[in-house]
Amino acid sequence: MKNFIKKYPMLLFIAGFAVLLLTQQKIVMPLVYEVVKSDLFLVDSNDKASQLPISTNLTEIAFMHCNKYIKTELGPDKSIVFPEKPINAWSLGNYQYVINAEITITDNVSSNAMIKKYACRITYNDSDDQKEINNFDHWTINGVSGLDNINE
């Protein structure tokens, strides 16, 4: 057997790779598809997803919390003017939102002003219990894009 391994290492590698691929295709992937089809990852909430932009009380509060987060991230050396409403807001379902808006940022030192568009993904953590909806501590900012290189 040792002689065979030394003589034909590439053949052994190809045979092992073929066995790995067949195992993946015939055993692992069917199990994965069964788990995906099941209700294991199904979350039932009163907040339904929308493919079209929406404007609700929750999206307005999400917009307010995104703005609060951006203000703290940019710091006191920048003056920020936020619009009254976002350009668009989408519900991803289960109290997850994407907010798209435009802000005006002025550097307090150089007085240079710029208009930036941003997208903010935010989640309300308490699901259908909306008692603490105005409390920023009950929300999670999943990410903000479009405001890179502002502090440089």
Side-chain angles (χ1 to χ4, degrees):
M1 185 69 173
K2 258 186 178 175
N3 249 356
F4 181 78
I5 293 173
K6 285 184 178 181
K7 234 178 177 181
Y8 303 106
M10 188 56 95
L11 184 62
L12 191 61
F13 174 75
I14 291 171
F17 191 67
V19 167
L20 180 68
L21 285 176
L22 284 173
T23 304
Q24 176 79 15
Q25 183 181 18
K26 299 295 182 188
I27 297 173
V28 175
M29 289 311 293
L31 290 173
V32 169
Y33 290 139
E34 287 301 315
V35 170
V36 169
K37 283 193 296 189
S38 74
D39 291 342
L40 183 64
F41 298 109
L42 182 64
V43 176
D44 191 26
S45 77
N46 292 331
D47 186 47
K48 303 298 179 202
S50 172
Q51 291 181 345
L52 299 174
I54 61 171
S55 179
T56 64
N57 183 41
L58 288 168
T59 59
E60 290 173 12
I61 293 170
F63 174 61
M64 176 188 71
H65 287 311
C66 282
N67 291 345
K68 179 179 179 179
Y69 174 79
I70 290 169
K71 181 118 177 106
T72 59
E73 285 296 305
L74 291 180
D77 60 331
K78 305 269 192 255
S79 295
I80 306 166
V81 177
F82 295 101
E84 278 186 43
K85 294 191 178 280
I87 297 170
N88 288 313
W90 293 271
S91 173
L92 302 177
N94 197 30
Y95 300 97
Q96 298 179 47
Y97 304 96
V98 174
I99 307 297
N100 175 243
E102 192 173 74
I103 58 175
T104 304
I105 303 169
T106 305
D107 189 326
N108 292 337
V109 177
S110 65
S111 298
N112 291 335
M114 63 181 113
I115 297 173
K116 288 284 192 174
K117 286 186 180 181
Y118 72 89
C120 173
R121 183 162 178 198
I122 185 168
T123 303
Y124 179 61
N125 301 323
D126 292 348
S127 193
D128 292 333
D129 178 15
Q130 296 185 9
K131 292 177 189 167
E132 296 290 334
I133 205 152
N134 289 317
N135 186 345
F136 183 73
D137 294 334
H138 291 259
W139 290 79
T140 301
I141 302 290
N142 303 107
V144 177
S145 64
L147 299 178
D148 304 332
N149 304 326
I150 297 285
N151 289 322
E152 294 178 355

